[in-house]
Amino acid sequence: NAGHSPILFNDLFTNRLLYLDLGFKLHFLPDELIPYIPLFSRAMLETGTAKLDFVRLQQRIGQHTGGIYPATFSSAVRGKDTGTSWLFLRAKAMVDQSGELLAIFDSVLRTARLNNRERIRQMVLENKASLESSIVNLGHRVINLRLRARYNEADWASEEMSGISQLFFLRRLVQKIDADWETVNKDLETIRSILLNQASLIANVTLDKTNWQMTHPQIETFLTALPANSTVLAKWQPSPVPENEALTLPSQVNFVSKGTNFYQNNYQLHGSALVINPHLGTTWLWDKIRVQGGAYGAFAVFDQHSGVFSFLSYRDPNLDRTLEMYDQTADYLRNLDLSESELTKAIIGAIGQVDAYQLPDAKGYTSMLRWLLGVSEEQRQSLRDELLATTVQDFHAFGQVLAQALASSSIVILGSP
């Protein structure tokens, strides 16, 4: 720890590159400020600082670092009521530039020009245009977020920051900047004052041990110089949404989702789920929804942290027929007869996803996320063992759980009126 901020260190060879992820815990913010986060994170890096305008700040970042960019992470935590939600500023620099990197961080965190009205208005318009254009390309992700937001607060926060709710927020925000800029500016400054606090910060460092001993004191000094205010977690109260929802857009195709929470139906997580879901996407759903139904894609997605299972279709000409196929999936699984070679192929595909190759920065970041989610190496190994030992009986059992769980499911559809 540095002051009240935990420092996580990943001892990996990085060829003298320092990877630093600064995390800000979003659960200290009142829920009405959550939709501001994508704008706020850009504004920190793209409005200029007390001493540098936007262009010169970008030049300074480019000159001394390998880049600084924002990322958000929000996920349910298995077995807990509250999830984990974070804004990260992810950066890399050569070890001998680490002092300069921390100086840049200090100036953007403390003095970013959140009162730069024109620049912020421009960013809101850019974010809005980008979201609008992505909906038709990534409609399946949009509805999956919307669906999952019904089941836990972390997914609700994700949807507020990157889903349909974010789009509606940005449309209102453009008008608010014109009509009531003072309130917008005050909201952004409130976010800064709450998040710029040792109690809401975490630092994740990926570097080899020798270079870490040189940079560690600098990072500690940087963190302990930040404000240390007492703070309490905010109570988030997601606004209620209908059980089923249709969202319309001018399009000839649909995106159809249906989902449910397995953990609320007493399902115990088992590694075979990591084999069964990709298998559904390449066999049953592929045949029924893509080949016969004419959709561009179909998926079954299971989130092991929240327990939410969802069916998704992509650029789908059908709607009712797709929902019928989803409902028939449980029977398909319960009656499935797989040959030894088909089962082995499914297991090999799944383990390749679990143990995918990662570069050092991704390894360090993933390690931190697992720490935040409370996922231990023992749990991961246990899931891996179960995955490798998957049998046809596991498919049958999963089908049984799916049949039960679908009795209390929700539907979200994005498509033409």
Side-chain angles (χ1 to χ4, degrees):
N1 276 32
H4 301 290
S5 306
I7 300 178
L8 305 180
F9 168 57
N10 305 283
D11 181 8
L12 291 168
F13 175 72
T14 61
N15 212 6
R16 291 183 58 77
L17 258 176
L18 162 72
Y19 295 102
L20 173 62
D21 306 305
L22 268 193
F24 303 87
K25 191 169 188 163
L26 297 180
H27 226 305
F28 290 117
L29 295 176
D31 49 15
E32 68 271 13
L33 294 180
I34 294 299
Y36 274 108
I37 290 302
L39 172 65
F40 173 79
S41 61
R42 272 191 75 184
M44 295 300 271
L45 299 166
E46 297 181 36
T47 53
T49 60
K51 292 182 179 167
L52 299 174
D53 64 19
F54 161 57
V55 175
R56 283 167 61 216
L57 173 63
Q58 292 304 307
Q59 287 169 341
R60 184 184 179 197
I61 290 172
Q63 197 179 343
H64 298 284
T65 79
I68 303 174
Y69 64 94
T72 54
F73 175 73
S74 194
S75 169
V77 175
R78 189 149 48 103
K80 293 200 172 170
D81 291 338
T82 52
T84 187
S85 297
W86 294 80
L87 164 64
F88 291 103
L89 292 179
R90 305 195 62 200
K92 62 181 174 183
M94 296 308 293
V95 167
D96 53 12
Q97 294 284 351
S98 55
E100 185 63 24
L101 172 64
L102 293 168
I104 293 171
F105 263 136
D106 197 68
S107 67
V108 298
L109 292 174
R110 292 178 191 270
T111 74
R113 296 182 191 175
L114 301 180
N115 59 354
N116 188 341
R117 180 178 182 167
E118 269 321 296
R119 183 79 191 110
I120 284 174
R121 189 178 192 279
Q122 187 186 345
M123 286 192 286
V124 171
L125 290 170
E126 285 170 10
N127 286 1
K128 182 171 86 74
S130 161
L131 251 180
E132 281 168 345
S133 66
S134 74
I135 283 176
V136 177
N137 295 324
L138 300 170
H140 60 308
R141 286 194 195 168
V142 170
I143 56 172
N144 192 31
L145 253 185
R146 189 85 178 167
L147 182 76
R148 282 161 51 161
R150 289 160 164 69
Y151 293 100
N152 64 81
E153 59 166 38
D155 283 332
W156 163 83
S158 277
E159 210 275 331
E160 289 286 318
M161 293 185 283
S162 58
I164 294 283
S165 298
Q166 171 70 188
L167 177 59
F168 290 160
F169 170 77
L170 291 173
R171 286 175 178 172
R172 294 192 301 271
L173 190 59
V174 177
Q175 298 170 329
K176 196 170 176 181
I177 287 172
D178 294 338
D180 185 10
W181 166 245
E182 283 71 22
T183 302
V184 175
N185 183 219
K186 184 166 156 276
D187 285 345
L188 291 169
E189 287 293 359
T190 301
I191 294 172
R192 169 154 56 191
S193 67
I194 292 173
L195 294 185
L196 190 54
N197 181 3
Q198 290 177 28
S200 65
L201 256 170
I202 187 172
N204 185 55
V205 180
T206 304
L207 191 63
D208 65 274
K209 195 174 271 174
T210 308
N211 285 301
W212 170 234
Q213 283 164 354
M214 289 158 45
T215 51
H216 186 195
Q218 293 174 302
I219 292 173
E220 247 186 15
T221 304
F222 162 74
L223 289 169
T224 49
L226 294 172
N229 306 317
S230 63
T231 186
V232 289
L233 292 182
K235 191 123 181 77
W236 288 354
Q237 291 179 308
S239 42
V241 281
E243 190 177 321
N244 302 312
E245 197 170 32
L247 304 157
T248 62
L249 80 165
S251 153
Q252 294 307 301
V253 290
N254 306 302
F255 301 88
V256 183
S257 70
K258 183 168 189 169
T260 181
N261 192 315
F262 271 25
Y263 293 162
Q264 287 169 5
N265 285 272
N266 300 322
Y267 172 71
Q268 294 293 317
L269 178 61
H270 190 270
S272 60
L274 307 178
V275 178
I276 295 164
N277 291 292
H279 173 82
L280 283 174
T282 54
T283 55
W284 166 259
L285 294 174
W286 177 279
D287 293 341
K288 297 294 177 187
I289 293 170
R290 181 166 178 160
V291 177
Q292 294 169 26
Y296 273 38
F299 320 89
V301 183
F302 178 65
D303 180 342
Q304 58 176 278
H305 306 297
S306 67
V308 176
F309 173 93
S310 41
F311 291 112
L312 307 166
S313 72
Y314 180 71
R315 299 184 73 87
D316 188 348
N318 302 302
L319 200 159
D320 287 345
R321 184 184 179 281
T322 295
L323 290 169
E324 279 169 32
M325 293 303 114
Y326 291 164
D327 289 340
Q328 287 175 29
T329 305
D331 281 340
Y332 163 77
L333 286 170
R334 287 189 289 197
N335 301 315
L336 184 63
D337 190 18
L338 272 183
S339 70
E340 198 61 45
S341 69
E342 287 173 312
L343 184 59
T344 303
K345 205 160 79 174
I347 290 171
I348 290 169
I351 200 74
Q353 289 298 308
V354 170
D355 289 332
Y357 176 74
Q358 289 186 318
L359 291 167
D361 60 326
K363 269 188 188 167
Y365 187 64
T366 304
S367 169
M368 172 188 62
L369 298 186
R370 286 185 192 134
W371 185 78
L372 292 172
L373 291 164
V375 176
S376 67
E377 273 309 306
E378 292 75 29
Q379 287 172 315
R380 293 190 66 238
Q381 188 54 50
S382 162
L383 275 183
R384 204 183 273 117
D385 294 342
E386 290 166 358
L387 185 163
L388 292 168
T390 298
T391 64
V392 175
Q393 284 69 41
D394 292 321
F395 281 77
H396 298 168
F398 197 85
Q400 193 58 42
V401 175
L402 181 59
Q404 276 175 324
L406 281 177
S408 54
S409 54
S410 289
I411 294 167
V412 178
I413 292 160
L414 179 65
S416 67

